[in-house]
Amino acid sequence: DKLGEEFGNSMNMIIRNGQSLLKLVNELLDLSKLETGNVSLHSVNGDVINYLRYISESFQSLAETQKKGLHFLSDVDSLFTSYDPEKLRQIISNLVSNAIKFTGEKGHIYISIHKL
């Protein structure tokens, strides 16, 4: 029935918003830890270029719905190194979401990777 479906949709939205809020609170706590020097890294060895590409692709549909171009450019196809996936995801997600937010319609955002 339609009322049950609307209730289910509303509950799903409440759950998603609650999860987003919890994620933001946890990120604030991580920032506090960073400021006090109590951050622990959980490094993995892997292809950081592939991981950065994956993160940027997760924002592609958001950029497209806002009529903005999101481009991932790298002068190397892969770079195997040690990195903390969660910390890197937080940093890149924050930068890309802000770039999308503050870029005008039909604007372009470039994520450009250069190996020095």
Side-chain angles (χ1 to χ4, degrees):
D1 94 315
K2 187 173 171 114
L3 184 60
E5 183 179 329
E6 287 178 16
F7 179 77
N9 289 338
S10 295
M11 288 304 296
N12 286 335
M13 186 180 355
I14 290 169
I15 290 169
R16 279 194 316 269
N17 288 342
Q19 290 169 339
S20 294
L21 185 57
L22 178 60
K23 185 175 160 187
L24 288 171
V25 168
N26 286 332
E27 287 177 4
L28 284 172
L29 290 172
D30 285 347
L31 182 58
S32 174
K33 289 178 188 175
L34 178 63
E35 290 172 346
T36 61
N38 294 326
V39 173
S40 60
L41 293 177
H42 302 288
S43 295
V44 299
N45 293 316
D47 182 0
V48 71
I49 302 297
N50 189 46
Y51 186 65
L52 291 169
R53 184 178 288 112
Y54 168 77
I55 295 169
S56 67
E57 287 173 355
S58 69
F59 286 93
Q60 195 67 44
S61 63
L62 175 63
E64 288 174 2
T65 59
Q66 295 185 17
K67 298 183 174 139
K68 299 170 187 176
L70 179 61
H71 312 278
F72 183 87
L73 308 171
S74 177
D75 62 1
V76 292
D77 291 331
S78 61
L79 177 62
F80 288 87
T81 189
S82 179
Y83 64 95
D84 183 323
E86 184 55 27
K87 299 289 187 285
L88 190 55
R89 184 202 59 76
Q90 288 176 348
I91 293 164
I92 299 302
S93 294
N94 185 293
L95 290 171
V96 173
S97 63
N98 280 333
I100 291 171
K101 181 178 179 180
F102 294 108
T103 297
E105 190 173 301
K106 296 185 181 178
H108 293 270
I109 300 141
Y110 294 88
I111 301 166
S112 184
I113 310 296
H114 301 282
K115 185 177 177 189
L116 301 176

